[in-house]
């Protein structure tokens, strides 16, 4: 059974940086679309970024484009999300997601319903 185990997060000041990680218990060379969603307080969950573990192709929401980098460590079957220049509006519960896919570029992969596996969530708070 595939499980996603998240780590990282916490409280950072505006303009700060943090890194979230997501370890997949399966071998990510099996071609996964892995990514992140977040849910700000009182708001709907939204897609943040995703990447294909086979091709390395990565995609970002406009809200984090240019401030974030999604990457992977294949030796550890782990996906990383590094976020810089954090803003108060980045405050949210962040969820790692994964689904076995040959391709990750379709627009439907911004929809949470298309991800079978979910991490437990980790809270990121951006405040002075």
């Amino acid at each position: 059974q595939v499980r996603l185990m998240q780590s990282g997060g916490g409280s950072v000041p505006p303009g700060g940086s943090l890194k979230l990680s997501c370890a997949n218990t399966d071998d990510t060379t099996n071609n996964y679309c892995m990514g992140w969603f977040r849910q700000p307080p009182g708001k709907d969950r939204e897609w943040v970024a995703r990447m294909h573990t086979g091709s390395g192709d990565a995609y970002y929401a406009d809200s984090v484009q240019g401030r974030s980098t999604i990457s992977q460590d294949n030796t550890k079957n782990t996906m990383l999300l590094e976020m810089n220049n954090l803003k108060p509006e980045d405050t949210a519960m962040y969820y790692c997601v994964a689904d076995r896919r040959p391709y990750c570029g379709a627009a439907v992969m911004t929809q949470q319903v298309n991800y079978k596996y979910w991490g437990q969530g980790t809270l990121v708070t951006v405040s002075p």
Side-chain angles (χ1 to χ4, degrees), residues 24-102:
N24 189 334
T25 57
D26 193 12
D27 183 351
T28 53
T29 59
N30 288 327
N31 288 329
Y32 277 87
C33 186
M34 292 185 70
W36 299 88
F37 281 78
R38 69 184 181 185
Q39 187 165 17
K43 297 184 178 180
D44 293 334
R45 197 171 293 172
E46 62 184 17
W47 167 72
V48 176
R50 69 188 188 276
M51 73 177 300
H52 193 265
T53 61
S55 68
D57 291 340
Y59 309 86
Y60 300 90
D62 289 344
S63 58
V64 302
Q65 179 78 49
R67 301 189 293 123
S68 300
T69 303
I70 190 170
S71 61
Q72 61 180 330
D73 180 346
N74 285 335
T75 63
K76 299 180 180 179
N77 297 321
T78 297
M79 177 185 61
L80 306 170
L81 178 67
E82 182 171 3
M83 301 182 69
N84 302 305
N85 191 21
L86 284 160
K87 305 174 182 181
E89 52 263 42
D90 293 316
T91 295
M93 184 70 78
Y94 284 73
Y95 297 92
C96 171
V97 296
D99 200 77
R100 289 281 301 273
R101 299 270 175 168

